[in-house]
Each structure stands twice: as C-alpha cells, then as structure tokens.
C-alpha cells in the first residue's frame, strides 16, 4: 500500500488522485506517510464507512484543468 501510494503521488500523471488507505495499523499512517493518503479507514470497518470515505473523495471527471491522460 505505501509503495503504491508513493508511486501514485510522485507521478505527474497520477499525483492529483485521492488515495484512501485501509489498514488495521492506523498509527503507520501518521507523520510523513499521512501526506500520501487523503483518508485512512481502519479495519474492521463496516461497508457504509468505506463507501462514505470513497464518496467523500470522488472527483468529477474531467478535472477542472481538463488534463487528458
């Protein structure tokens, strides 16, 4: 998860994406790692909490700056 999030955030093509972490060890997502994630959902989480988190960070497509991938 950390490596994938880091790769997404360091690429100019995907840096704008919101990454949501899902973990049983929420303390790992503090400090410098926090900048990689828009939100962290801790396990166990009920499905409504996961859906709510995703809805919170959905971005309309195309983005306002109309980047084309």
């Amino acid at each position: 998860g950390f490596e994938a999030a880091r790769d997404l955030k360091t690429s100019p093509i995907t840096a704008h994406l919101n990454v949501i972490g899902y973990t049983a060890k929420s303390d790992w997502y503090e400090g410098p790692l926090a900048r990689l994630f828009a939100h962290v959902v801790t396990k166990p989480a009920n499905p409504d909490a996961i859906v709510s988190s995703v809805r919170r960070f959905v971005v309309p497509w195309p983005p306002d700056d109309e980047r084309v991938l």
Side-chain angles (χ1 to χ4, degrees):
F2 295 126
E3 294 84 10
R6 184 185 61 233
D7 289 347
L8 288 168
K9 291 301 183 179
T10 57
S11 169
I13 296 172
T14 57
H16 67 284
L17 296 176
N18 291 317
V19 179
I20 300 170
Y22 184 57
T23 183
K25 300 182 180 192
S26 62
D27 57 324
W28 286 10
Y29 292 84
E30 296 173 0
L33 295 175
R35 66 180 169 72
L36 297 175
F37 300 93
H39 185 68
V40 175
V41 178
T42 54
K43 295 177 185 178
N46 73 40
D48 290 337
I50 297 168
V51 170
S52 175
S53 180
V54 171
R55 284 187 176 153
R56 182 174 161 198
F57 294 102
V58 168
V59 176
W61 188 258
D64 290 337
D65 63 8
E66 297 183 24
R67 282 184 285 213
V68 177
L69 302 178

